[in-house]
Amino acid sequence: MEENRVKIAIQKKGRLFDESIRLLKQCGIKFRIDSKTLMTSALNLPLDILFVRDDDIPTLVMDGVCDLGIVGQNELLEKQLDKQSGNSDVEIVNKLGFGRCRLSLAFPKKREFKDVTCANDSTIATSYPKLLQQFLDKNNISAKILTISGSVEIAPKLNMADAICDLVSTGRTLEENDLREVMPVLESEAVLIKKIDCSVEINEIIELLDKRMKSVIKARGSKYIMFHAPKAALDDIEKILPGSEKPTIMTLDGETDKVAVHVVSSEGVFWDTLESLKQAGASSILVVPIEKMLE
Ligand code: PRT
Ligand code: ZN
């Protein structure tokens, strides 16, 4: 009988590649790749990794060629609308916290924008015609959609379109092309997607991988904080610590009023938090990254 192996599709090259690889490696998966690799088998887990264009990832999972995929929500939703298959054949297992961007409507700076009705009777260039059409329908806007696969932001300059609907992260590309973001259409980040009707054996492997991914993602946002503090200041200090669980308090050799405090904080620890801790009486403060967290 053929061994049960999970197939995961990830982007071959592009914005999601590095982080997808980093996540799999941090989950303890060992594999070898070079620039020509189209598929590789993990050495320590029944997992095969396929390297493809991001546009193909939703379809590969929907059609059951792959069990899992790492892809932007923008790409997933566009393909789902295109297939008109609803959400029945693929589900989002987890948000992965990278590849964040938004699909936005953008107007040339010199074109007036008061509200979304200003898009009426315009031509809008986009690579996401289905998501744009859904947005226009929701807002009762009638506009012409010009579908182009790349360099969408150049369309207004070439008089091909009055506006665009494209992905934005820093906003630099819009700025460079004399465009301004006027309305968000969709917030997006990379997600782990899964074919819904996988076998029990395949689901077990997916669950293991999902748990590891969640643990890695949680650990990335968390810090381990250690410091000394007067016992009397502990109540105040607890209020300062962001998103932390109950601290571990330990006695310090030869000290009666001072203790050592260790705590995991699930939110970013910024300089102002440390300064407030110091002001409240904490000293010898150490903040260290956490590699893995399992509850
Ligand atoms: O070859 P392949 O088809 O696999 O790659 P691709 O060229 O289609 O995709 P790629 O690698 O550019 O993006 C992959 C995914 O990354 C997207 O589907 C999004 O989910 C996510 N992502 C996050 C982005 C951006 N940020 C982003 N800024 N994808 C594209 N952009 C582009 C945008 O289209 C525009 O041209 O970057 C420009 C805007 O960036 P800023 O920083 O100037 O605002
Ligand atoms: Zn693509």
Side-chain angles (χ1 to χ4, degrees):
M1 208 178 82
E2 197 189 314
E3 194 191 357
N4 280 307
R5 296 184 70 82
V6 169
K7 286 194 191 67
I8 184 168
I10 68 170
Q11 196 187 22
K12 181 166 169 55
K13 61 175 197 293
R15 287 169 194 265
L16 303 181
F17 174 78
D18 286 345
E19 285 293 331
S20 302
I21 294 289
R22 186 164 87 107
L23 182 60
L24 292 176
K25 295 226 154 151
Q26 284 189 329
C27 286
I29 298 159
K30 293 205 167 21
F31 54 91
R32 290 196 203 98
I33 49 167
D34 61 43
S35 59
K36 293 195 200 82
T37 307
L38 298 178
M39 191 181 118
T40 189
S41 295
L43 305 170
N44 56 347
L45 209 79
L47 181 78
D48 296 328
I49 308 165
L50 277 78
F51 298 89
V52 297
R53 285 198 58 187
D54 71 340
D55 312 51
D56 295 331
I57 294 172
T59 317
L60 285 170
V61 180
M62 283 174 193
D63 293 351
V65 178
C66 292
D67 310 291
L68 293 175
I70 294 179
V71 70
Q73 283 167 295
N74 51 303
E75 209 58 65
L76 170 68
L77 291 169
E78 180 69 19
K79 288 290 172 332
Q80 282 182 323
L81 289 173
D82 196 28
K83 277 212 158 189
Q84 302 213 312
S85 55
N87 297 327
S88 55
D89 40 11
V90 40
E91 66 180 351
I92 293 180
V93 183
N94 194 19
K95 293 186 178 184
L96 302 176
F98 61 85
R100 284 208 177 91
C101 57
R102 52 202 182 273
L103 182 66
S104 281
L105 191 62
F107 270 31
K109 281 183 182 166
K110 56 181 189 300
R111 188 183 168 98
E112 189 189 38
F113 182 87
K114 278 204 217 97
D115 56 44
V116 67
T117 60
C118 294
N120 258 322
D121 303 321
S122 66
T123 299
I124 309 172
T126 189
S127 307
Y128 297 91
K130 301 285 173 190
L131 281 167
L132 175 58
Q133 188 62 60
Q134 190 187 50
F135 170 81
L136 295 174
D137 291 347
K138 259 189 210 154
N139 288 284
N140 285 317
I141 302 297
S142 135
K144 190 172 165 232
I145 297 177
L146 176 71
T147 307
I148 40 183
S149 58
S151 306
V152 172
E153 54 281 341
I154 204 91
K157 264 194 199 148
L158 300 176
N159 289 324
M160 292 160 70
D162 306 303
I164 67 162
C165 176
D166 197 15
L167 300 175
V168 184
S169 49
T170 62
R172 206 175 308 132
T173 308
L174 292 183
E175 187 61 39
E176 280 167 7
N177 288 282
D178 292 320
L179 296 161
R180 79 197 144 108
E181 195 175 354
V182 293
M183 238 181 130
V185 172
L186 177 85
E187 294 286 335
S188 177
E189 69 182 91
V191 287
L192 178 70
I193 57 169
K194 167 187 175 304
K195 188 172 67 142
I196 283 200
D197 51 357
C198 298
S199 69
V200 177
E201 293 82 3
I202 291 288
N203 264 327
E204 269 173 22
I205 304 164
I206 292 178
E207 235 169 78
L208 174 87
L209 194 62
D210 177 38
K211 274 190 193 143
R212 286 194 190 177
M213 282 188 182
K214 286 193 172 119
S215 138
V216 169
I217 293 162
K218 189 158 186 222
R220 278 181 191 169
S222 301
K223 294 277 183 267
Y224 196 74
I225 312 173
M226 298 175 268
F227 53 88
H228 293 174
K231 276 184 190 162
L234 287 179
D235 277 352
D236 285 349
I237 282 174
E238 246 185 83
K239 285 182 204 129
I240 297 166
L241 289 167
S244 53
E245 292 176 1
K246 280 272 165 226
T248 309
I249 315 268
M250 285 160 288
T251 51
L252 283 167
D253 219 13
E255 292 271 6
T256 47
D257 301 334
K258 238 184 192 183
V259 285
V261 183
H262 286 200
V263 66
V264 173
S265 169
S266 60
E267 285 170 33
V269 179
F270 300 102
W271 278 109
D272 50 3
T273 311
L274 301 186
E275 281 147 11
S276 306
L277 278 178
K278 202 160 173 56
Q279 250 173 17
S283 57
S284 309
I285 308 171
L286 283 180
V287 181
V288 291
I290 298 172
E291 198 180 88
K292 297 181 182 72
M293 266 173 106
L294 209 58
E295 304 208 319

